[in-house]
Amino acid sequence: MPLLSQFESWATANGITTSLVPKTSEGMGVGLFVDMAADQSNQETASGDLLFVPHSLILSRSNILSQPCPDLAFTIGAIGEHAITERLALLLFLLYERLILKIEGSTPSKVTPYIAVLPEISTPVTLDPELVQGYLAGTILLDSVCAKRKKLEAEYAQLSGNRGAFEHWPVKPTVTDFIWADATVWSRVLSFQSQVKQNENELELGDDLHMVPYLDFANHANQSNIRWQVDEQGLRVWGNEHLTLPEDAKEPEVFLSYGEKPNAELLFLYGFTLKDNPTKFLTFPLPMDEEDPYYMPKAHTLMRQGIPPRVTLYVECGTMTDMFELCSGLWINKKSLYLLWIYALNEEDGLSALIEEPESKVCVPHKDLAENDDEPEEVDLVDEEDVGRLIMTIQGTQILSNEQLEAVVPKLEIYPILMLRALVTVAARVEHYVARIMETGDKVQKTEHVEIVRAVRCELDDVEPIRSSPALSQLEEDKEEVLRLGPHVANLVVILKNYRVEEMEYLVQVGDLLGEGQTKMLEENDFVQEYLAKMQH
């Protein structure tokens, strides 16, 4: 029996009820479709339960820690239960169950049919590093991919090395297995807490991250056509107003929305992009000038007030709130605005600093700085109980909160100049990234060379690759590339190459807007013109 059929039989036998069926979705792997024969709901809009999954089959940290498996119990003990995060618990469970499948005659667990049907996932993080560094050469996304992979490799080395977390496992995981498990968790996990808050549900949930068999086959669309809710029995799914059942026998596909994510994030987490993605923004790091004489008080202020050293630029803000128009056609969020203000201020503007002895430590990593698992390094954490609290002041006013910053800075006479400095700072960083992509174009060409392509571990280790001839049509060349790489990797390679072009075009667009913004201020703002004229004398 095929794995998908085994999974469906297992789901039915273990209390999952549904009128949805997992099937191949063109260009999107496996998706979920409404079974027209099984669905007895209104023929215009699906009503009633499309899917019910009992709590006993939903994977979470609490569920996994209660598993009776001795090997996993040893691993949890070696790491320390207090150090087992929700993500790590799910990762270890998937990793162990997947490896056990390789042992012929092994005793299946309760969720073995679900684990067996999980697909091989291809994201930039799971792909061969040599290919990624070639096809994403010069991009901002490549920096994130390399940092993520380095972090996963270090985590794997620590668990498998000093802690010996896998010592008693019958099959030892490789770093590739470990990275697969991490990617699988993030590509399939649901946040129950966010759903509970959204629906004002009073149900108390100890865990936030959950993997829900069956529902996690649903593909992404900007507009979800289903809704889901957790109750005391489990998780239920209904169709919403966007799910209509056709009069013919065609089975409509149901979609979840993974959130309003730009293509960079979709590619990083899930390995795909959307052709006409309406969510368009770009986030990149913006480090402070280490030669700034007020580097330390500014750094303390950023950390204390939870302002990360990165900027997010939007060319479309839609209905988003708390956005600031940096220049015509370009918006930033408030955290980015605060960062640019702090960077732009200098002593001539009334910037100063003082040391205050606090009663307790206050300089701790803010929760926003731990976003995306990027914890601050220990050297960045300052014990202000010993050295005193460095406080930034603006024209005598102590800046102890973002509210104070927002109340003081826009009222400064020098404010137009601060905004001009902000435009120049961001434009210089954007120009840096544009130049980096342009200077690394040769890496893409080298990566496309057949010897580099062979670095992917597919079924060609002992086979001399077929070399393209000038006479081959584009279709034949595409088929040849798929042959070398395997369908999953070849598809991702095409997406990576397209994304690199997309990021370049977006950066150029942003750079043009920033340039126009600077020109407008220089030509139309009287204060800016007077200030610059004085500075020239």
Side-chain angles (χ1 to χ4, degrees):
M1 182 186 295
L3 290 177
L4 205 53
S5 297
Q6 293 181 31
F7 167 75
E8 292 182 80
S9 298
W10 166 83
T12 301
N14 285 275
I16 292 179
T17 57
T18 183
S19 57
L20 302 175
V21 290
K23 295 170 55 178
T24 299
S25 177
E26 185 177 356
M28 303 179 70
V30 175
L32 282 181
F33 296 78
V34 177
D35 185 347
M36 299 296 290
D39 188 83
Q40 300 299 319
S41 61
N42 186 289
Q43 290 302 301
E44 301 247 342
T45 302
S47 60
D49 288 9
L50 290 175
L51 174 67
F52 168 74
V53 182
H55 278 299
S56 60
L57 295 185
I58 298 175
L59 299 181
S60 66
R61 179 183 184 275
S62 299
N63 182 305
I64 290 166
L65 293 184
S66 65
Q67 296 290 326
C69 173
D71 294 331
L72 272 180
F74 173 85
T75 298
I76 292 168
I79 299 172
E81 187 171 326
H82 66 282
I84 302 292
T85 62
E86 293 184 35
R87 167 256 177 192
L88 185 56
L90 291 166
L91 184 156
L92 292 172
F93 183 78
L94 291 185
L95 186 60
Y96 180 81
E97 290 287 335
R98 185 65 171 251
L99 292 174
I100 290 299
L101 290 174
K102 297 181 179 181
I103 303 176
E104 188 174 350
S106 60
T107 303
S109 72
K110 185 177 181 179
V111 295
T112 293
Y114 168 60
I115 301 297
V117 82
L118 291 177
E120 293 295 335
I121 181 169
S122 292
T123 73
V125 179
T126 66
L127 191 60
D128 184 280
E130 193 170 10
L131 285 174
V132 175
Q133 291 173 22
Y135 288 121
L136 287 181
T139 62
I140 299 169
L141 179 58
L142 178 61
D143 298 336
S144 300
V145 171
C146 292
K148 174 72 171 180
R149 189 174 180 97
K150 183 178 179 181
K151 185 172 184 177
L152 288 173
E153 289 173 348
E155 183 181 16
Y156 167 80
Q158 183 184 37
L159 292 175
S160 60
N162 296 338
R163 294 191 175 184
F166 311 124
E167 184 178 337
H168 290 278
W169 287 24
V171 179
K172 303 298 187 293
T174 65
V175 67
T176 300
D177 296 325
F178 191 83
I179 292 172
W180 167 85
D182 177 82
T184 300
V185 168
W186 289 123
S187 67
R188 307 184 84 81
V189 76
L190 288 178
S191 168
F192 277 20
Q193 296 291 1
S194 61
Q195 187 275 341
V196 168
K197 292 177 183 178
Q198 181 179 351
N199 292 279
E200 299 181 353
N201 193 328
E202 297 182 358
L203 184 68
E204 293 186 6
L205 297 170
D207 297 320
D208 178 30
L209 303 182
H210 295 72
M211 289 181 65
V212 184
Y214 225 105
L215 179 58
D216 61 4
F217 280 117
N219 285 313
H220 166 75
N222 290 321
Q223 181 63 68
S224 172
N225 58 7
I226 56 175
R227 59 188 178 91
W228 58 274
Q229 187 168 328
V230 182
D231 59 29
E232 294 180 352
Q233 286 74 44
L235 179 142
R236 301 179 190 277
V237 177
W238 300 271
N240 61 24
E241 66 275 15
H242 300 289
L243 177 61
T244 57
L245 302 182
E247 295 181 359
D248 57 25
K250 185 177 180 181
E251 298 174 332
E253 184 172 1
V254 300
F255 295 97
L256 280 171
S257 174
Y258 300 170
E260 295 182 347
K261 302 182 187 299
N263 277 342
E265 192 171 347
L266 291 175
L267 181 53
F268 181 81
L269 291 173
Y270 311 112
F272 69 86
T273 58
L274 298 178
K275 183 179 180 181
D276 298 311
N277 192 344
T279 304
K280 296 180 180 180
F281 63 84
L282 193 64
T283 300
F284 53 83
L286 190 66
M288 194 186 336
D289 181 4
E290 294 183 2
E291 301 299 320
D292 189 326
Y294 285 89
Y295 180 91
M296 287 307 296
K298 287 183 177 183
H300 279 233
T301 300
L302 294 176
M303 179 171 286
R304 187 164 50 239
Q305 296 175 200
I307 303 172
R310 56 177 177 264
V311 168
T312 301
L313 300 173
Y314 300 78
V315 293
E316 296 177 11
C317 66
T319 59
M320 298 179 66
T321 58
D322 291 331
M323 300 295 287
F324 177 85
E325 190 171 17
L326 183 61
C327 61
S328 180
L330 196 62
W331 288 262
I332 57 175
N333 55 34
K334 282 196 172 183
K335 288 289 182 72
S336 297
L337 178 62
Y338 300 154
L339 179 76
L340 293 175
W341 283 349
I342 291 172
Y343 281 8
L345 284 161
N346 60 37
E347 194 169 11
E348 293 179 358
D349 309 325
L351 180 67
S352 187
L354 58 85
I355 299 178
E356 178 185 82
E357 294 290 343
E359 296 180 359
S360 60
K361 299 176 185 178
V362 296
C363 190
V364 296
H366 189 277
K367 64 179 181 178
D368 285 352
L369 296 181
E371 191 176 344
N372 295 326
D373 294 331
D374 293 329
E375 296 286 352
E377 298 292 336
E378 290 185 7
V379 294
D380 293 332
L381 307 185
V382 180
D383 188 346
E384 294 186 330
E385 192 172 62
D386 294 333
V387 303
R389 181 166 64 159
L390 273 171
I391 298 176
M392 191 177 76
T393 67
I394 302 175
Q395 296 186 355
T397 301
Q398 296 184 18
I399 303 301
L400 300 174
S401 68
N402 292 332
E403 289 73 22
Q404 286 178 307
L405 189 67
E406 192 167 355
V408 171
V409 173
K411 296 179 181 178
L412 297 174
E413 183 183 11
I414 200 74
Y415 185 70
I417 295 299
L418 296 182
M419 293 312 303
L420 179 60
R421 292 174 190 163
L423 287 173
V424 172
T425 298
V426 177
R429 194 65 178 174
V430 169
E431 289 172 7
H432 162 75
Y433 285 120
V434 170
R436 196 173 70 167
I437 290 182
M438 294 180 67
E439 292 168 359
T440 53
D442 61 323
K443 289 188 177 181
V444 178
Q445 295 175 351
K446 290 179 181 178
T447 304
E448 290 176 327
H449 189 278
V450 68
E451 295 302 324
I452 301 298
V453 173
R454 289 187 68 193
V456 180
R457 294 187 182 91
C458 49
E459 300 174 357
L460 298 170
D461 290 342
D462 300 317
V463 179
E464 184 65 17
I466 303 170
R467 298 184 182 275
S468 300
S469 66
L472 286 178
S473 67
Q474 184 62 48
L475 179 60
E476 290 171 326
E477 289 179 354
D478 291 344
K479 287 182 178 179
E480 183 181 331
E481 186 172 68
V482 171
L483 177 64
R484 295 194 194 106
L485 296 176
H488 294 292
V489 177
N491 183 58
L492 180 59
V493 162
V494 172
I495 295 172
L496 294 179
K497 290 193 286 187
N498 290 338
Y499 172 79
R500 187 174 182 275
V501 174
E502 178 184 322
E503 184 177 300
M504 173 71 170
E505 292 175 345
Y506 190 89
L507 285 167
V508 170
Q509 179 185 6
V510 168
D512 289 343
L513 291 171
L514 290 167
E516 293 169 3
Q518 293 176 63
T519 300
K520 184 176 182 180
M521 290 196 73
L522 291 170
E523 294 179 349
E524 300 180 10
N525 191 294
D526 293 338
F527 181 87
V528 169
Q529 292 175 354
E530 293 174 5
Y531 178 88
L532 294 177
K534 289 179 182 179
M535 299 303 320
Q536 291 175 353
H537 291 88

PDB file of all heavy atoms in Angstrom, residues 317-328:
ATOM      1  N   CYS A 317       2.635  49.730   1.923  1.00  0.00           N
ATOM      2  CA  CYS A 317       2.295  49.458   3.327  1.00  0.00           C
ATOM      3  C   CYS A 317       0.847  49.022   3.493  1.00  0.00           C
ATOM      4  O   CYS A 317       0.464  48.537   4.559  1.00  0.00           O
ATOM      5  CB  CYS A 317       2.589  50.673   4.200  1.00  0.00           C
ATOM      6  SG  CYS A 317       1.551  52.109   3.855  1.00  0.00           S
ATOM      7  N   GLY A 318       0.030  49.173   2.436  1.00  0.00           N
ATOM      8  CA  GLY A 318      -1.353  48.706   2.487  1.00  0.00           C
ATOM      9  C   GLY A 318      -2.100  49.298   3.670  1.00  0.00           C
ATOM     10  O   GLY A 318      -2.106  50.502   3.896  1.00  0.00           O
ATOM     11  N   THR A 319      -2.705  48.412   4.474  1.00  0.00           N
ATOM     12  CA  THR A 319      -3.485  48.851   5.636  1.00  0.00           C
ATOM     13  C   THR A 319      -2.680  48.755   6.927  1.00  0.00           C
ATOM     14  O   THR A 319      -3.243  48.860   8.011  1.00  0.00           O
ATOM     15  CB  THR A 319      -4.753  47.978   5.759  1.00  0.00           C
ATOM     16  OG1 THR A 319      -4.363  46.593   5.898  1.00  0.00           O
ATOM     17  CG2 THR A 319      -5.642  48.127   4.543  1.00  0.00           C
ATOM     18  N   MET A 320      -1.373  48.541   6.819  1.00  0.00           N
ATOM     19  CA  MET A 320      -0.543  48.396   8.009  1.00  0.00           C
ATOM     20  C   MET A 320      -0.539  49.697   8.816  1.00  0.00           C
ATOM     21  O   MET A 320      -0.523  50.791   8.268  1.00  0.00           O
ATOM     22  CB  MET A 320       0.888  48.009   7.632  1.00  0.00           C
ATOM     23  CG  MET A 320       0.998  46.665   6.924  1.00  0.00           C
ATOM     24  SD  MET A 320       2.696  46.258   6.461  1.00  0.00           S
ATOM     25  CE  MET A 320       3.438  46.078   8.080  1.00  0.00           C
ATOM     26  N   THR A 321      -0.541  49.549  10.134  1.00  0.00           N
ATOM     27  CA  THR A 321      -0.549  50.705  11.020  1.00  0.00           C
ATOM     28  C   THR A 321       0.853  50.952  11.574  1.00  0.00           C
ATOM     29  O   THR A 321       1.745  50.115  11.433  1.00  0.00           O
ATOM     30  CB  THR A 321      -1.535  50.489  12.174  1.00  0.00           C
ATOM     31  OG1 THR A 321      -1.163  49.289  12.893  1.00  0.00           O
ATOM     32  CG2 THR A 321      -2.958  50.339  11.654  1.00  0.00           C
ATOM     33  N   ASP A 322       1.017  52.087  12.231  1.00  0.00           N
ATOM     34  CA  ASP A 322       2.299  52.461  12.848  1.00  0.00           C
ATOM     35  C   ASP A 322       3.448  52.443  11.847  1.00  0.00           C
ATOM     36  O   ASP A 322       4.553  52.009  12.157  1.00  0.00           O
ATOM     37  CB  ASP A 322       2.632  51.526  14.023  1.00  0.00           C
ATOM     38  CG  ASP A 322       1.696  51.741  15.195  1.00  0.00           C
ATOM     39  OD1 ASP A 322       1.209  52.870  15.357  1.00  0.00           O
ATOM     40  OD2 ASP A 322       1.462  50.782  15.948  1.00  0.00           O
ATOM     41  N   MET A 323       3.170  52.918  10.636  1.00  0.00           N
ATOM     42  CA  MET A 323       4.203  53.012   9.612  1.00  0.00           C
ATOM     43  C   MET A 323       4.573  54.475   9.401  1.00  0.00           C
ATOM     44  O   MET A 323       3.745  55.373   9.589  1.00  0.00           O
ATOM     45  CB  MET A 323       3.724  52.396   8.306  1.00  0.00           C
ATOM     46  CG  MET A 323       3.347  50.921   8.415  1.00  0.00           C
ATOM     47  SD  MET A 323       4.753  49.873   8.798  1.00  0.00           S
ATOM     48  CE  MET A 323       5.591  49.896   7.231  1.00  0.00           C
ATOM     49  N   PHE A 324       5.818  54.707   8.995  1.00  0.00           N
ATOM     50  CA  PHE A 324       6.312  56.061   8.771  1.00  0.00           C
ATOM     51  C   PHE A 324       6.835  56.153   7.343  1.00  0.00           C
ATOM     52  O   PHE A 324       7.600  55.290   6.901  1.00  0.00           O
ATOM     53  CB  PHE A 324       7.430  56.383   9.768  1.00  0.00           C
ATOM     54  CG  PHE A 324       8.042  57.735   9.576  1.00  0.00           C
ATOM     55  CD1 PHE A 324       7.467  58.860  10.156  1.00  0.00           C
ATOM     56  CD2 PHE A 324       9.204  57.896   8.818  1.00  0.00           C
ATOM     57  CE1 PHE A 324       8.034  60.117   9.975  1.00  0.00           C
ATOM     58  CE2 PHE A 324       9.776  59.146   8.638  1.00  0.00           C
ATOM     59  CZ  PHE A 324       9.181  60.257   9.226  1.00  0.00           C
ATOM     60  N   GLU A 325       6.430  57.201   6.633  1.00  0.00           N
ATOM     61  CA  GLU A 325       6.885  57.379   5.260  1.00  0.00           C
ATOM     62  C   GLU A 325       8.268  58.023   5.274  1.00  0.00           C
ATOM     63  O   GLU A 325       8.410  59.215   5.550  1.00  0.00           O
ATOM     64  CB  GLU A 325       5.902  58.225   4.460  1.00  0.00           C
ATOM     65  CG  GLU A 325       6.205  58.225   2.962  1.00  0.00           C
ATOM     66  CD  GLU A 325       5.123  58.888   2.145  1.00  0.00           C
ATOM     67  OE1 GLU A 325       4.294  59.625   2.716  1.00  0.00           O
ATOM     68  OE2 GLU A 325       5.098  58.661   0.914  1.00  0.00           O
ATOM     69  N   LEU A 326       9.279  57.223   4.987  1.00  0.00           N
ATOM     70  CA  LEU A 326      10.657  57.705   5.002  1.00  0.00           C
ATOM     71  C   LEU A 326      10.891  58.706   3.871  1.00  0.00           C
ATOM     72  O   LEU A 326      11.569  59.721   4.055  1.00  0.00           O
ATOM     73  CB  LEU A 326      11.620  56.525   4.876  1.00  0.00           C
ATOM     74  CG  LEU A 326      13.111  56.829   4.939  1.00  0.00           C
ATOM     75  CD1 LEU A 326      13.478  57.453   6.289  1.00  0.00           C
ATOM     76  CD2 LEU A 326      13.927  55.561   4.710  1.00  0.00           C
ATOM     77  N   CYS A 327      10.346  58.414   2.714  1.00  0.00           N
ATOM     78  CA  CYS A 327      10.334  59.334   1.585  1.00  0.00           C
ATOM     79  C   CYS A 327       9.186  58.902   0.690  1.00  0.00           C
ATOM     80  O   CYS A 327       8.542  57.884   0.955  1.00  0.00           O
ATOM     81  CB  CYS A 327      11.672  59.319   0.834  1.00  0.00           C
ATOM     82  SG  CYS A 327      12.122  57.719   0.141  1.00  0.00           S
ATOM     83  N   SER A 328       8.925  59.631  -0.349  1.00  0.00           N
ATOM     84  CA  SER A 328       7.781  59.308  -1.205  1.00  0.00           C
ATOM     85  C   SER A 328       7.896  57.883  -1.752  1.00  0.00           C
ATOM     86  O   SER A 328       8.876  57.530  -2.399  1.00  0.00           O
ATOM     87  CB  SER A 328       7.711  60.299  -2.368  1.00  0.00           C
ATOM     88  OG  SER A 328       6.617  59.996  -3.208  1.00  0.00           O
TER      89      SER A 328
END
